[in-house]
Amino acid sequence: MKYILKRVIFFLITLWAALTINFILPRMMPGNPAEVMIAKFQGRLNPQAISALEIAFGINTHESMLAQYWDYLGRMATGNFGISVSFYPTAVAQVLAQAVPWTLGLAGISTVIAFILGTLLGIRVSWKRNSASSSFAVPIAFFLNSMPYFWFALIVEYVFAFVFGWFPLGGAYSSSSGLSGLALVWSVLYHAILPAATIIITAMGGWMLTMRNNMISVLSDDYITFAFAQGLPEKEIEMNYAARNAILPSFTGFAMAIGFVISGVLLTEIVFSYPGVGYLLYQAVLNIDYPLMQAIFLFITVAVLVANFIADIVYVFLDPRARSGGE
Amino acid sequence: MDALLKVKDLNAGYEFTNFKTWAVRNVSFELNKGEFLGIAGESGCGKSTLAFGVIRLLMPPGKIFSGSIEFNDIDLMKIDDESLRKMRWKEFSMVFQASMNVLNPVLKVRTQIYNSIKYHVNMTESELEKRAKELLNLVNVSSKYLDAYPHQLSGGMKQRVVIAMALALNPKLVIMDEPTTALDVVVQRRILQEIDELRRQLGFAIIFITHDLSLLVEISDSLAIMYAGQIIEKAPSEKLYAKPLHPYTYGLMHSFPPLVGKRQKLHGIAGRPPDLSSDIKGCPFYPRCEKRINGVCDIENPKLVEIESEHFVACHLYDGK
Amino acid sequence: MNYVKLFFKNRKSAIGVIIFLSFVVIAIFAPWIAPYSPNSMAFTPLQGPSWKHWLGTTAVGQDILSQVIWGTRLSLMVGLITGGIATAISVIMGLTSGYLGGITDDILMTITNIFLVIPGLPLIIIISAFIVVKGVWTIIFVISLTGWAWGARTLRSQVLTLKNRDYVKASVVTGESSAHIIFSDIFPNMLSLVVANFFGAAVYAVLSEAGLEFLGLGDSSAISWGTILYWAQNNQALLFGLWEWAAVPGLLIALLGMSFALMNFAVDELTNPRLRKR
Ligand SMILES: Nc1ncnc2c1ncn2[C@@H]1O[C@H](COP(=O)(O)OP(=O)(O)O)[C@@H](O)[C@H]1O
Ligand code: SF4
Ligand SMILES: [Mg+2]
């Protein structure tokens, strides 16, 4: 319980840090980026919107920094992220809400699949360390892991959507109107296959290598030899003695791994014009829509924190030492 | 005789790409049913390698280079993997030197005891539980620890749990590789007596490995002394204690304080054992031996020969050269 | 340092070193190797590969092969410099936090963990989006700022281990200064970890730089593999069937990243006996 409490506190501190970054960045950067943005959209925004933006970015204000900060935290706490300038006059929250389900669906499912597949492969490859398939799989994983994700997405899109024409070039569902029920579900799945495959393949390599290293480390532990001495079946030793222990560091290193995966997801969405958060971030960047960008950054941070929190909880379930107080 | 284990010309060690450690060198011995054999020698002389080798448990880079091992007339070197797996624990079990770390940190004691049983014999859940309690009882651990995880047990308790596990299937042979080194001398002695008691009750044979010869006084039936990967002396215990023949055995016996009586200053053996990854010419003890015969001992490695009945020794002082 | 010898004997690091050195050679001799000036717009735009232009030409008539060759310089430089800066931050944070312990350790480690958890690319994107004047150095700065946390954490735990070694304790007892202990007793013994970290950070830098450039958040007038990809994507190279334009720079990024990753892994393998090939 103490462990969980510690994680909750860390969760809150990090959230606060992300909020503060959002507050400081526009105020600190040279060249008044926020003013540049307002000037750019001047003609299209009504005076009310402009003054809201000025308050949000601390322009033309006599309030002290601290007062601004306090107001800002208040707005964030009430979910008031302001108005998107590129989707004017829609509120940022609303724009974001439309993109979130797509990303959660695509990224959530493919990340879980990638984690499971990568981990299983890592177990296999380390257990059968000298087999031909292992000596094949490891260099491939290295290569996959060092590829720029968006580039791999481009190639996948080019080969399977453009050259072979097996899959759509982009989007999340067929734009032909009147799709409903099963046809719509199918269309959504069909559009998700390529981006999902891209994420799975690129993310898998990293998890495979991590698990492989952990396994090799664990395999020289005494309890493995002892398990062999007991004449336990190989499968039992592989899974319940070796893998069961080797997977623990995967959870403690989850924070970094998930960061890489998120980068992959964002870029993959952009390549496939998949209408999720990543693609939205890209549009916000192209249109210099700071309020939208900041909200997206915040959203992604919270999503990652939640994912980490889940990983922490699973970890507590998997490691009895974490359960009874210790680290 | 009633030989349970016959080891002949066993060579084993660790193989790396650029070098090889030859940790067990031409070792032969026999062990009878129900016998208590002690193996003693300084740290690093190959005792553990021998123990693992004898039950074919050497993990890479460890490897048996050559030799034969017969257990109950079954050739362990030729047996297939699955039959070997089935023999393990049921026929022979082992308590490791690193007993503190041999329990799987993420499984309950209960699960680990069950596992060591259920893959060899068919038992219902309640039979398993009964057996597990019986075993813990045997080693004086309260059965409430069945649902504990290893990190919740003290070092001594883990040790006892492992010993209990080793007895789970009534094996014919239990190998104990310095099972008590982490404990203090008095406790070590007591556990050893308990183990011996169990042996008399249950009738299994024991190979007990230690670097402390004094520990085995009055307990083991016979003793083998190892040096640089070889057995250099082997005899029934009384004979060996009464009359150690090999200069190394003599030195070893006088490098530990007597268990009873006044503690005298030790005069251990000067120097260090040879590096087992290099070739050794002549008697491996030659550089440290006070009785060495120049021109003989540095040329030829003495063979293990029976000097008196059941008393084997490998030393040129006794082979008439 | 017998590790140095082993490093070059290890197959992984050998492959990594060979790839890396090839890129270094290309970068140094770019002016001689490249058939044309990378900026010259003298050619027919959007051509496919030919004997004159092995990789074809861009939308404004530049020779893509020459751009790829010259781009090696910037991509390599960003990887190395960023890797270096990020590693330096890791070392400072890890050493201070591990050596001083106590409340300093708590604070520095909380900061490190925050940087570790806040997703790197989105952070890089929003920082860059707020930077009005973009250039190579802003990229280097931003990526270094986000890429040091993991290293700081691993280095710190190494410091904690080393701190308990006898010779360090001996130095403490004999009253050596903290600086002396850190720089002559602790730091030399974690060099291999620092090196491994450097390679890890370099992989991160190479990939992040490519991602940033690709999003148009870099300096799109500079020539690096990332900007070539950016222009390829912006001109829909793939849809025009000019796949070499996008495929080659991406492949090179992957190779460079892989060479760093291989060297990183090899150092790990050499210093962690458990990972060593049996
Ligand atoms: N896992 C291993 N890898 C490499 N060498 C080993 C390993 N285990 C033991 N050795 C070497 O084999 C020799 C004998 O070791 P060991 O059998 O453990 O001796 P003992 O049990 O008598 O202390 C030593 O030189 C030791 O360095
Ligand atoms: S053979 Fe020679 S050197 Fe070896 S123990 Fe006997 S006397 Fe000593
Ligand atoms: Mg040993």
Side-chain angles (χ1 to χ4, degrees):
Chain A
M1 274 306 97
K2 211 178 132 196
Y3 176 80
I4 299 282
L5 186 72
K6 260 167 122 177
R7 305 316 298 166
V8 173
I9 293 174
F10 177 70
F11 186 112
L12 294 175
I13 294 181
T14 312
L15 185 60
W16 166 79
L19 284 167
T20 307
I21 290 176
N22 264 347
F23 177 79
I24 292 180
L25 268 183
R27 288 171 174 76
M28 184 189 74
M29 286 298 175
N32 291 322
E35 274 183 60
V36 173
M37 170 188 78
I38 293 173
K40 187 184 158 204
F41 287 93
Q42 194 83 55
R44 275 184 275 164
L45 306 173
N46 66 25
Q48 232 175 324
I50 290 182
S51 81
L53 285 172
E54 285 181 341
I55 291 173
F57 294 105
I59 302 164
N60 297 331
T61 175
H62 303 294
E63 269 192 278
S64 71
M65 223 26 139
L66 209 63
Q68 287 182 38
Y69 186 51
W70 189 245
D71 287 346
Y72 163 79
L73 288 181
R75 284 198 303 280
M76 292 298 119
T78 52
N80 177 5
F81 301 110
I83 287 187
S84 158
V85 292
S86 55
F87 291 89
Y88 184 79
T90 317
V92 164
Q94 218 174 323
V95 177
L96 190 57
Q98 278 170 5
V100 166
W102 293 113
T103 297
L104 284 187
L106 179 69
I109 294 171
S110 12
T111 307
V112 171
I113 294 179
F115 179 75
I116 294 174
L117 283 183
T119 301
L120 286 177
L121 259 177
I123 297 172
R124 216 69 280 267
V125 161
S126 53
W127 193 257
K128 298 255 171 252
R129 211 171 163 191
N130 294 317
S131 72
S133 53
S134 300
S135 42
F136 212 62
V138 175
I140 291 182
F142 259 107
F143 185 77
L144 289 182
N145 207 33
S146 354
M147 261 179 341
Y149 293 154
F150 63 89
W151 173 73
F152 184 65
L154 280 176
I155 300 290
V156 167
E157 184 191 38
Y158 176 68
V159 173
F160 295 100
F162 186 72
V163 177
F164 293 147
W166 293 346
F167 296 97
L169 277 169
Y173 50 87
S174 174
S175 50
S176 57
S177 55
L179 276 184
S180 64
L182 263 175
L184 182 65
V185 172
W186 168 242
S187 172
V188 167
L189 284 179
Y190 184 55
H191 281 74
I193 291 178
L194 273 193
T198 308
I199 298 170
I200 291 171
I201 291 173
T202 44
M204 215 171 67
W207 265 309
M208 179 187 137
L209 290 175
T210 311
M211 190 61 183
R212 172 181 174 271
N213 276 7
N214 298 345
M215 278 290 279
I216 291 172
S217 210
V218 163
L219 285 180
S220 52
D221 276 337
D222 290 315
Y223 51 81
I224 301 294
T225 316
F226 190 58
F228 274 108
Q230 293 170 55
L232 305 186
E234 275 213 20
K235 252 296 65 84
E236 171 78 22
I237 303 177
E238 181 182 355
M239 299 313 286
N240 281 331
Y241 286 71
R244 190 67 172 60
N245 281 286
I247 204 168
L248 298 176
S250 289
F251 283 92
T252 42
F254 194 77
M256 189 178 77
I258 198 74
F260 279 118
V261 173
I262 289 291
S263 314
V265 171
L266 298 183
L267 293 164
T268 304
E269 280 187 4
I270 294 168
V271 169
F272 286 97
S273 316
Y274 200 83
V277 172
Y279 189 55
L280 193 61
L281 179 59
Y282 182 55
Q283 287 172 309
V285 167
L286 289 183
N287 297 317
I288 326 187
D289 188 344
Y290 290 132
L292 186 55
M293 261 183 252
Q294 294 195 317
I296 292 174
F297 170 66
L298 213 55
F299 166 78
I300 296 173
T301 305
V302 171
V304 167
L305 280 175
V306 170
N308 264 304
F309 195 70
I310 295 174
D312 284 336
I313 304 234
V314 174
Y315 180 75
V316 173
F317 267 99
L318 289 178
D319 191 347
R321 285 158 295 190
R323 233 171 295 160
S324 52
E327 257 286 15
Chain B
M1 270 284 286
D2 254 356
L4 175 67
L5 177 70
K6 287 189 226 164
V7 176
K8 209 157 179 295
D9 293 324
L10 189 70
N11 285 285
Y14 304 87
E15 214 167 39
F16 298 92
T17 36
N18 42 352
F19 72 98
K20 168 168 147 178
T21 304
W22 187 6
V24 170
R25 303 179 174 214
N26 295 316
V27 167
S28 306
F29 69 91
E30 288 192 6
L31 178 77
N32 291 328
K33 286 182 178 142
E35 183 181 346
F36 190 129
L37 167 67
I39 297 182
E42 284 167 299
S43 229
C45 68
K47 303 181 299 291
S48 298
T49 312
L50 176 63
F52 283 109
V54 156
I55 53 172
R56 295 250 341 249
L57 199 60
L58 274 176
M59 297 280 170
K63 195 182 165 190
I64 295 179
F65 303 137
S66 65
S68 78
I69 306 161
E70 271 181 36
F71 185 93
N72 237 350
D73 297 325
I74 299 167
D75 188 342
L76 290 192
M77 293 302 288
K78 298 219 173 84
I79 194 171
D80 64 276
D81 286 353
E82 181 57 16
S83 313
L84 180 62
R85 179 188 80 69
K86 283 187 175 145
M87 278 182 83
R88 284 181 169 154
W89 227 242
K90 204 164 162 30
E91 301 288 324
F92 44 80
S93 63
M94 176 162 173
V95 179
F96 287 25
Q97 183 165 7
S99 271
M100 305 289 179
N101 309 320
V102 302
L103 293 175
N104 183 344
V106 299
L107 296 184
K108 284 180 180 168
V109 169
R110 176 191 297 277
T111 320
Q112 303 197 49
I113 298 182
Y114 285 12
N115 279 353
S116 70
I117 300 173
K118 75 178 188 202
Y119 289 110
H120 296 283
V121 290
N122 275 326
M123 274 199 196
T124 63
E125 185 79 20
S126 63
E127 284 168 334
L128 281 170
E129 168 144 20
K130 185 160 159 271
R131 180 69 183 143
K133 284 185 173 160
E134 225 169 74
L135 286 167
L136 288 189
N137 210 7
L138 211 57
V139 292
N140 291 322
V141 172
S142 155
S143 52
K144 74 173 189 221
Y145 287 108
L146 271 181
D147 287 308
Y149 287 95
H151 74 275
Q152 294 165 319
L153 269 53
S154 72
M157 266 198 283
K158 278 189 244 183
Q159 204 103 52
R160 285 164 186 270
V161 168
V162 173
I163 294 173
M165 286 172 74
L167 303 177
L169 298 168
N170 285 324
K172 298 189 180 70
L173 166 66
V174 179
I175 296 181
M176 301 195 161
D177 185 2
E178 313 203 21
T180 55
T181 11
L183 309 172
D184 78 76
V185 190
V186 181
V187 180
Q188 282 191 38
R189 186 81 189 168
R190 204 178 66 224
I191 293 185
L192 195 57
Q193 270 156 357
E194 287 170 22
I195 291 173
D196 195 42
E197 197 97 335
L198 291 170
R199 171 178 74 112
R200 284 170 209 282
Q201 271 174 43
L202 307 172
F204 52 88
I206 292 182
I207 296 180
F208 193 99
I209 293 172
T210 180
H211 65 264
D212 180 355
L213 200 50
S214 67
L215 195 64
L216 295 175
V217 178
E218 286 167 11
I219 290 182
S220 71
D221 298 327
S222 46
L223 274 172
I225 310 297
M226 270 188 97
Y227 186 75
Q230 303 170 22
I231 291 184
I232 48 94
E233 184 162 10
K234 180 176 185 289
S237 292
E238 327 79 77
K239 277 198 183 177
L240 200 106
Y241 281 111
K243 195 170 131 200
L245 294 178
H246 197 284
Y248 176 68
T249 313
Y250 185 85
L252 205 60
M253 276 191 189
H254 292 83
S255 59
F256 285 98
L259 203 67
V260 288
K262 228 180 84 189
R263 298 207 157 210
Q264 304 148 310
K265 190 166 164 41
L266 318 171
H267 54 86
I269 313 162
R272 314 192 112 267
D275 174 14
L276 292 179
S277 51
S278 62
D279 278 333
I280 298 167
K281 189 167 171 267
C283 174
F285 193 53
Y286 174 81
R288 304 168 76 187
C289 183
E290 287 172 0
K291 299 193 171 161
R292 64 186 168 206
I293 314 165
N294 288 327
V296 176
C297 301
D298 51 344
I299 305 295
E300 195 187 339
N301 191 359
K303 289 196 168 55
L304 189 67
V305 287
E306 194 166 5
I307 304 289
E308 293 167 22
S309 110
E310 294 184 274
H311 197 152
F312 297 81
V313 66
C315 173
H316 289 309
L317 293 176
Y318 307 98
D319 63 3
K321 284 196 180 160
Chain C
M1 271 259 120
N2 148 40
Y3 280 136
V4 175
K5 217 160 134 197
L6 279 171
F7 180 78
F8 287 100
K9 274 193 171 170
N10 182 301
R11 204 175 55 188
K12 289 195 188 74
S13 44
I15 297 175
V17 169
I18 290 173
I19 300 176
F20 174 69
L21 287 182
S22 320
F23 283 134
V24 171
V25 169
I26 294 175
I28 294 176
F29 295 103
W32 292 275
I33 301 174
Y36 310 101
S37 153
N39 296 314
S40 156
M41 302 188 214
F43 314 104
T44 322
L46 296 177
Q47 283 179 59
S50 64
W51 281 115
K52 246 183 101 196
H53 303 287
W54 290 8
L55 298 179
T57 57
T58 69
V60 291
Q62 298 149 318
D63 177 53
I64 296 175
L65 178 64
S66 304
Q67 291 207 318
V68 167
I69 292 172
W70 278 87
T72 313
R73 286 193 165 182
L74 205 54
S75 297
L76 204 57
M77 188 183 102
V78 172
L80 293 176
I81 296 182
T82 313
I85 297 177
T87 307
I89 303 178
S90 306
V91 169
I92 293 169
M93 292 291 276
L95 269 176
T96 326
S97 158
Y99 186 77
L100 294 180
I103 182 95
T104 323
D105 183 31
D106 288 341
I107 294 173
L108 292 186
M109 269 305 113
T110 307
I111 295 175
T112 305
N113 285 332
I114 289 173
F115 269 93
L116 198 61
V117 159
I118 291 184
L121 189 71
L123 181 59
I124 294 178
I125 290 176
I126 87 155
I127 296 179
S128 321
F130 276 112
I131 296 178
V132 180
V133 189
K134 296 182 168 64
V136 175
W137 287 101
T138 48
I139 292 192
I140 291 176
F141 166 77
V142 175
I143 300 178
S144 311
L145 193 69
T146 56
W148 56 269
W150 182 257
R153 204 155 98 167
T154 46
L155 289 174
R156 170 182 170 269
S157 42
Q158 175 83 350
V159 174
L160 290 183
T161 319
L162 290 174
K163 228 166 78 172
N164 285 319
R165 294 272 166 84
D166 291 336
Y167 57 88
V168 177
K169 284 187 170 164
S171 294
V172 174
V173 172
T174 51
E176 295 284 2
S177 70
S178 287
H180 177 90
I181 296 172
I182 290 182
F183 290 107
S184 32
D185 291 341
I186 295 184
F187 189 68
N189 285 297
M190 41 191 263
L191 258 184
S192 62
L193 197 59
V194 173
V195 171
N197 249 300
F198 168 77
F199 290 132
V203 180
Y204 175 77
V206 167
L207 292 181
S208 304
E209 188 245 359
L212 267 189
E213 298 280 12
F214 177 69
L215 294 177
L217 283 168
D219 174 6
S220 49
S221 64
I223 295 172
S224 77
W225 295 336
T227 53
I228 299 175
L229 272 169
Y230 169 75
W231 289 115
Q233 173 71 357
N234 261 13
N235 291 295
Q236 306 194 307
L238 291 177
L239 300 189
F240 285 116
L242 300 170
W243 60 270
E244 298 85 357
W245 190 359
V248 173
L251 193 68
L252 295 180
I253 294 168
L255 280 177
L256 181 60
M258 190 167 87
S259 83
F260 286 133
L262 284 171
M263 293 191 277
N264 174 357
F265 202 75
V267 175
D268 251 8
E269 210 169 68
L270 291 179
T271 44
N272 179 355
R274 287 184 155 196
L275 290 180
R276 231 174 277 178
K277 204 179 191 108
R278 317 199 196 179

